[in-house]
Amino acid sequence: NAGVTQTPKFRILKIGQSMTLQCTQDMNHNYMYWYRQDPGMGLKLIYYSVGAGITDKGEVPNGYNVSRSTTEDFPLRLELAAPSQTSVYFCASSPEGFGNSPLHFGNGTRLTVT
Amino acid sequence: QKEVEQNSGPLSVPEGAIASLNCTYSDRGSQSFFWYRQYSGKSPELIMSIYSNGDKEDGRFTAQLNKASQYVSLLIRDSQPSDSATYLCAVKNNNFNKFYFGSGTKLNVKP
């Protein structure tokens, strides 16, 4: 069982470029999340989704966009990359939002913007 | 803003000792609490979850929750060098579908 899969693992972008971070899960979880983690810091919520077709902003959404066309996939789009977006990005999923289920994390994407 | 506070450390303990990690949170509506371990360069992995006041034990790990004081802790007994990692506290208000994380406490277990 693959769980939460993120691609790519590493990426270097030039300022102003765009890219999409891919995230897919095979656990049939309704809830999916994107977090970023800066060095020595905790996880900050960028966007989340409670099901296909539904997305909402988290704490730090500026500079990012998401879509959720299927239960399995939750891509994160960076438009006009900036050095401040250099970070490690984690996708996570949870089977439910109103219960006590934890987050299941992917392995992360390390992004550098220069 | 839902705040979750942790001492960043590093917390250094000798092998075999008890490590005590603490976390406070500001949202009184928080209902679920989680401890994640994160090795350098890796993703967080779940160690324990706790939902009711009191203690919950799982092997060498004990989570403690005091909702009145808005405080959750993690005790690691018989600490091993392999426990050296950053420990993240996560808090969830089940009404809002969001998990909030502390900045983590770095634990060093010295052989």
Side-chain angles (χ1 to χ4, degrees):
Chain A
N1 199 352
V4 180
T5 302
Q6 292 183 237
T7 56
K9 288 185 170 55
F10 304 94
R11 183 72 185 267
I12 298 174
L13 280 182
K14 293 190 184 302
I15 294 172
Q17 288 184 321
S18 301
M19 76 164 294
T20 298
L21 282 65
Q22 302 291 346
C23 176
T24 187
Q25 51 93 8
D26 62 0
M27 298 175 283
N28 201 33
H29 287 175
N30 283 324
Y31 295 83
M32 295 189 74
Y33 305 79
W34 274 105
Y35 286 89
R36 61 175 285 173
Q37 186 175 36
D38 298 329
M41 303 296 288
L43 296 156
K44 296 294 185 184
L45 181 63
I46 305 172
Y47 271 95
Y48 69 106
S49 169
V50 302
I54 306 170
T55 63
D56 207 348
K57 295 178 181 179
E59 303 167 89
V60 290
N62 291 343
Y64 307 94
N65 277 300
V66 293
S67 59
R68 184 94 181 274
S69 57
T70 67
T71 299
E72 294 78 19
D73 300 308
F74 190 40
L76 177 71
R77 178 81 177 164
L78 278 72
E79 305 281 3
L80 298 174
S84 61
Q85 294 177 304
T86 294
S87 191
V88 180
Y89 292 83
F90 289 103
C91 179
S93 70
S94 180
E96 59 182 69
F98 294 95
N100 297 320
S101 300
L103 286 173
H104 301 258
F105 284 91
N107 289 329
T109 294
R110 186 174 297 272
L111 175 67
T112 301
V113 182
T114 63
Chain B
Q1 181 76 13
K2 316 291 186 185
E3 291 189 353
V4 180
E5 301 286 343
Q6 293 181 256
N7 188 321
S8 61
L11 173 66
S12 292
V13 299
E15 184 175 355
I18 296 175
S20 178
L21 306 164
N22 305 315
C23 172
T24 60
Y25 59 94
S26 62
D27 180 13
R28 284 195 171 274
S30 300
Q31 296 150 307
S32 304
F33 306 86
F34 307 89
W35 283 100
Y36 285 83
R37 177 176 62 199
Q38 186 176 28
Y39 293 113
S40 181
K42 301 295 186 181
S43 59
E45 55 179 327
L46 180 70
I47 294 182
M48 289 199 68
S49 57
I50 187 166
Y51 320 116
S52 303
N53 280 327
D55 295 358
K56 179 181 177 183
E57 186 174 320
D58 184 359
R60 295 187 296 111
F61 300 95
T62 298
Q64 299 174 316
L65 175 61
N66 184 326
K67 290 185 179 180
S69 299
Q70 296 175 248
Y71 176 91
V72 59
S73 65
L74 179 70
L75 300 178
I76 306 174
R77 289 181 300 280
D78 188 23
S79 295
Q80 301 296 309
S82 59
D83 294 326
S84 297
T86 296
Y87 289 80
L88 300 170
C89 172
V91 171
K92 181 185 174 193
N93 184 321
N94 292 347
N95 295 324
F96 297 105
N97 308 317
K98 298 179 186 179
F99 295 74
Y100 294 93
F101 286 81
S103 57
T105 298
K106 185 174 176 64
L107 173 66
N108 291 327
V109 180
K110 297 180 182 296

